Amino acid sequence: GNNELGRCDVQDWKDITQVFAGSSHTVGLKKDGTVVAVGDNEYGQCDVEDWTDIVAVSAGRYRTVGLKSDGTVVATGSNHMGQCDVAQWRDIIAIAAGDGITIGLKEDGTVVTTCVDWYYNTPAWTDIREEH
């Protein structure tokens, strides 16, 4: 693929359990709960070297989001629309990062987002369940 800014430089990655591609970076979750990232880091989207105890990752446009085993969420990168404002989230079981939005699925089936409502007009989702 297009290796502009090194986003395909994953040949040395080992013990990876999940991968995600943002618009200009690639993120990998390792078996030990740490995260690696390569590619464009203009907004700090690859600043994940201190993350631990991560069980899931997602990559959006210019940001990376991680779900910790305790149900909290961490995020790094562009926050121009509040996409990284996840520090208060609790009881999260799944995450997704998109263009200008971060979404979390809570244990009780409700959904939380960081998007600006006027832009995305996110509905009030409830009783959403992750299928296994």
Side-chain angles (χ1 to χ4, degrees):
N2 179 344
N3 196 27
E4 182 179 354
L5 303 171
R7 64 182 165 207
C8 296
D9 293 343
V10 298
Q11 61 275 4
D12 294 330
W13 287 8
K14 305 281 187 244
D15 298 321
I16 302 294
T17 62
Q18 288 182 19
V19 292
F20 277 88
S23 64
S24 61
H25 71 296
T26 304
V27 179
L29 174 62
K30 298 181 74 171
K31 286 181 186 178
D32 66 2
T34 60
V35 180
V36 291
V38 294
D40 181 19
N41 196 32
E42 180 178 352
Y43 299 98
Q45 62 266 39
C46 293
D47 294 344
V48 297
E49 59 276 349
D50 294 334
W51 289 9
T52 59
D53 203 27
I54 304 294
V55 296
V57 292
S58 187
R61 186 173 192 189
Y62 309 124
R63 96 186 157 290
T64 302
V65 181
L67 174 61
K68 296 182 71 80
S69 67
D70 66 359
T72 60
V73 179
V74 291
T76 189
S78 175
N79 196 35
H80 74 282
M81 293 179 68
Q83 311 94 305
C84 293
D85 294 342
V86 297
Q88 302 302 315
W89 289 9
R90 301 289 180 266
D91 304 320
I92 304 297
I93 60 171
I95 54 171
D99 183 11
I101 186 172
T102 302
I103 302 170
L105 174 62
K106 296 186 76 164
E107 288 177 355
D108 67 3
T110 58
V111 174
V112 291
T113 70
T114 60
C115 72
V116 178
D117 288 338
W118 59 264
Y119 185 77
Y120 287 98
N121 196 20
T122 304
W125 294 340
T126 57
D127 201 30
I128 307 295
R129 302 286 182 213
E130 181 180 38
E131 296 293 325
H132 294 281

